[in-house]
Amino acid sequence: MKYALSALAGATALAISLIGGPAMAEDDGIIVYNAQHESLAKEWAEGFTKETGIKVTLRNGGDSDFSNQIVAEGAASPADVFLTENSPAMALVEAAGLFAPVDADTLAQVPQDYQPSTGKWVGVAARSTVFVYNKTKLSGDKLPKSLLDLADPSWKGRWAASPSGADFQAIVSALLQLKGEAATADWLKAMKTNFTAYKGNSTVMKAVNAGEIEGGVIYHYYYFGDQAKTGENSKNVDLHYFKNQDPGAFVSVSGGGVLASSKHQKEAQAFLKWVTGKGGQDVLKNGTSFEYAVGKDAQSNPKLVPLADLQAPKVDAATLNSKKVTDLMTAAGLL
């Protein structure tokens, strides 16, 4: 089902007030504003509490909503830790000066490729951009060589995306950093002409699987998650990895940061250390999120293409600009 899209840049005051609900920090635990998958964050929280005895209260919401909420709350935020799916939300909070530096021993657990240059937050997981395509409609030799190829008139009406979501906007953030504002604006303008809009990456994959559209730009784990269940929404599709440092090979880093205003700094830092250490990264390897583990020497789910084989472009997650992206996408008529 296709949905009309509306501009999402900037949350309303009402929306911000409702994301996590009222929350008071507890002396015996920490509050986590969680924009990661609820089931994954729950496993992390339960594993950490079991090992340390420190209580974790999760408040679940979305990347952009929570980042805007934290900025609005400022030093009065009850949150101790912020977890996201994508980097731009972390960069927004960092730009507002609201993160405490991550402990050095925690940063040491994660390779430089999966953390910002500033050390104000750290990667906790990752996801790869992919082109999901219908195997009955597209053969391997007809696939786009680059994400940029989708701007070509030959792709008009043949591909889909979910531009209103934080996932796709993170991909555009990488394109902006790698190719610059003019090239990104031109690509988005061509995208508006060529693509079909759906709401949600899973909806994009379902449409591709059903043959409504030949292909779509999503993250990898939607396919693996469906395959691990019934496979009914992915039986006719396959994944194309752009590789070659292409913008379409972008690996989005899911972040974790400790709020500078937290009154439980020691416990909050311990939580980040646990998530990026063996306990938290093993949850990614053995669980059902199918996101990539990013800790040093950590193993991802064996069904996934190894991170090293993705040939992702080098992107500094600290500089991904969510506001500029939404401005450009709005100007192109995508939001």
Side-chain angles (χ1 to χ4, degrees), residues 21-37:
M24 297 298 291
E26 300 179 31
D27 291 339
D28 62 343
I30 59 173
I31 291 173
V32 176
Y33 279 9
N34 173 52
Q36 249 294 350
H37 295 161

mmCIF file of all heavy atoms in Angstrom, residues 21-37:
data_model
loop_
_atom_site.group_PDB
_atom_site.id
_atom_site.type_symbol
_atom_site.label_atom_id
_atom_site.label_comp_id
_atom_site.label_asym_id
_atom_site.label_seq_id
_atom_site.Cartn_x
_atom_site.Cartn_y
_atom_site.Cartn_z
ATOM 1 N N GLY A 21 7.050 9.803 27.602
ATOM 2 C CA GLY A 21 6.201 9.969 28.772
ATOM 3 C C GLY A 21 7.034 10.490 29.927
ATOM 4 O O GLY A 21 8.256 10.548 29.872
ATOM 5 N N PRO A 22 6.402 10.909 31.000
ATOM 6 C CA PRO A 22 7.144 11.400 32.152
ATOM 7 C C PRO A 22 8.009 10.301 32.747
ATOM 8 O O PRO A 22 7.608 9.154 32.827
ATOM 9 C CB PRO A 22 6.039 11.835 33.117
ATOM 10 C CG PRO A 22 4.827 11.070 32.691
ATOM 11 C CD PRO A 22 4.950 10.906 31.219
ATOM 12 N N ALA A 23 9.222 10.664 33.120
ATOM 13 C CA ALA A 23 10.131 9.665 33.677
ATOM 14 C C ALA A 23 11.042 10.333 34.689
ATOM 15 O O ALA A 23 11.605 11.376 34.428
ATOM 16 C CB ALA A 23 10.967 9.022 32.575
ATOM 17 N N MET A 24 11.176 9.729 35.830
ATOM 18 C CA MET A 24 12.080 10.224 36.853
ATOM 19 C C MET A 24 13.213 9.222 37.032
ATOM 20 O O MET A 24 12.990 8.017 37.088
ATOM 21 C CB MET A 24 11.345 10.400 38.184
ATOM 22 C CG MET A 24 10.236 11.437 38.132
ATOM 23 S SD MET A 24 10.847 13.098 37.743
ATOM 24 C CE MET A 24 11.749 13.440 39.258
ATOM 25 N N ALA A 25 14.434 9.738 37.050
ATOM 26 C CA ALA A 25 15.577 8.854 37.233
ATOM 27 C C ALA A 25 15.499 8.187 38.605
ATOM 28 O O ALA A 25 15.138 8.814 39.593
ATOM 29 C CB ALA A 25 16.873 9.654 37.120
ATOM 30 N N GLU A 26 15.826 6.911 38.624
ATOM 31 C CA GLU A 26 15.774 6.165 39.872
ATOM 32 C C GLU A 26 17.181 5.975 40.424
ATOM 33 O O GLU A 26 18.141 5.805 39.682
ATOM 34 C CB GLU A 26 15.113 4.806 39.637
ATOM 35 C CG GLU A 26 13.684 4.920 39.115
ATOM 36 C CD GLU A 26 13.071 3.549 38.870
ATOM 37 O OE1 GLU A 26 13.438 2.603 39.580
ATOM 38 O OE2 GLU A 26 12.235 3.440 37.976
ATOM 39 N N ASP A 27 17.311 6.007 41.731
ATOM 40 C CA ASP A 27 18.626 5.906 42.355
ATOM 41 C C ASP A 27 19.298 4.574 42.056
ATOM 42 O O ASP A 27 20.516 4.483 42.051
ATOM 43 C CB ASP A 27 18.506 6.106 43.869
ATOM 44 C CG ASP A 27 18.135 7.544 44.234
ATOM 45 O OD1 ASP A 27 18.360 8.436 43.389
ATOM 46 O OD2 ASP A 27 17.614 7.746 45.339
ATOM 47 N N ASP A 28 18.505 3.533 41.825
ATOM 48 C CA ASP A 28 19.082 2.207 41.664
ATOM 49 C C ASP A 28 19.179 1.768 40.212
ATOM 50 O O ASP A 28 19.354 0.589 39.919
ATOM 51 C CB ASP A 28 18.260 1.179 42.443
ATOM 52 C CG ASP A 28 16.827 1.076 41.945
ATOM 53 O OD1 ASP A 28 16.387 2.006 41.228
ATOM 54 O OD2 ASP A 28 16.162 0.073 42.253
ATOM 55 N N GLY A 29 19.066 2.687 39.284
ATOM 56 C CA GLY A 29 19.125 2.276 37.894
ATOM 57 C C GLY A 29 19.273 3.433 36.935
ATOM 58 O O GLY A 29 19.490 4.578 37.343
ATOM 59 N N ILE A 30 19.172 3.124 35.635
ATOM 60 C CA ILE A 30 19.322 4.134 34.596
ATOM 61 C C ILE A 30 18.107 4.124 33.674
ATOM 62 O O ILE A 30 17.404 3.109 33.556
ATOM 63 C CB ILE A 30 20.597 3.908 33.762
ATOM 64 C CG1 ILE A 30 20.579 2.523 33.094
ATOM 65 C CG2 ILE A 30 21.841 4.097 34.616
ATOM 66 C CD1 ILE A 30 21.725 2.300 32.121
ATOM 67 N N ILE A 31 17.865 5.250 33.039
ATOM 68 C CA ILE A 31 16.806 5.389 32.042
ATOM 69 C C ILE A 31 17.456 5.491 30.671
ATOM 70 O O ILE A 31 18.353 6.321 30.457
ATOM 71 C CB ILE A 31 15.932 6.616 32.316
ATOM 72 C CG1 ILE A 31 15.109 6.395 33.593
ATOM 73 C CG2 ILE A 31 15.008 6.926 31.136
ATOM 74 C CD1 ILE A 31 14.338 7.612 34.051
ATOM 75 N N VAL A 32 17.018 4.665 29.751
ATOM 76 C CA VAL A 32 17.539 4.660 28.385
ATOM 77 C C VAL A 32 16.443 5.119 27.429
ATOM 78 O O VAL A 32 15.372 4.515 27.378
ATOM 79 C CB VAL A 32 18.027 3.249 27.981
ATOM 80 C CG1 VAL A 32 18.473 3.230 26.518
ATOM 81 C CG2 VAL A 32 19.163 2.797 28.894
ATOM 82 N N TYR A 33 16.715 6.189 26.713
ATOM 83 C CA TYR A 33 15.851 6.575 25.596
ATOM 84 C C TYR A 33 16.266 5.682 24.423
ATOM 85 O O TYR A 33 17.358 5.838 23.872
ATOM 86 C CB TYR A 33 16.051 8.039 25.231
ATOM 87 C CG TYR A 33 15.301 9.038 26.097
ATOM 88 C CD1 TYR A 33 14.631 8.659 27.260
ATOM 89 C CD2 TYR A 33 15.277 10.386 25.749
ATOM 90 C CE1 TYR A 33 13.953 9.575 28.044
ATOM 91 C CE2 TYR A 33 14.608 11.327 26.512
ATOM 92 C CZ TYR A 33 13.951 10.924 27.668
ATOM 93 O OH TYR A 33 13.289 11.851 28.434
ATOM 94 N N ASN A 34 15.403 4.767 24.076
ATOM 95 C CA ASN A 34 15.759 3.736 23.107
ATOM 96 C C ASN A 34 15.053 3.931 21.772
ATOM 97 O O ASN A 34 13.837 3.785 21.675
ATOM 98 C CB ASN A 34 15.408 2.346 23.650
ATOM 99 C CG ASN A 34 15.610 1.275 22.601
ATOM 100 O OD1 ASN A 34 16.680 1.197 21.994
ATOM 101 N ND2 ASN A 34 14.578 0.484 22.341
ATOM 102 N N ALA A 35 15.839 4.220 20.727
ATOM 103 C CA ALA A 35 15.313 4.288 19.372
ATOM 104 C C ALA A 35 15.770 3.084 18.546
ATOM 105 O O ALA A 35 15.539 3.039 17.334
ATOM 106 C CB ALA A 35 15.751 5.593 18.689
ATOM 107 N N GLN A 36 16.420 2.140 19.203
ATOM 108 C CA GLN A 36 16.776 0.879 18.549
ATOM 109 C C GLN A 36 15.540 -0.023 18.541
ATOM 110 O O GLN A 36 14.494 0.314 19.100
ATOM 111 C CB GLN A 36 17.913 0.199 19.316
ATOM 112 C CG GLN A 36 19.237 0.153 18.582
ATOM 113 C CD GLN A 36 19.209 -0.721 17.330
ATOM 114 O OE1 GLN A 36 18.264 -1.457 17.059
ATOM 115 N NE2 GLN A 36 20.256 -0.624 16.542
ATOM 116 N N HIS A 37 15.639 -1.182 17.904
ATOM 117 C CA HIS A 37 14.552 -2.150 17.943
ATOM 118 C C HIS A 37 14.260 -2.509 19.388
ATOM 119 O O HIS A 37 15.172 -2.782 20.171
ATOM 120 C CB HIS A 37 14.927 -3.411 17.164
ATOM 121 C CG HIS A 37 15.102 -3.168 15.708
ATOM 122 N ND1 HIS A 37 15.793 -4.024 14.888
ATOM 123 C CD2 HIS A 37 14.675 -2.167 14.906
ATOM 124 C CE1 HIS A 37 15.793 -3.562 13.644
ATOM 125 N NE2 HIS A 37 15.119 -2.434 13.639
#
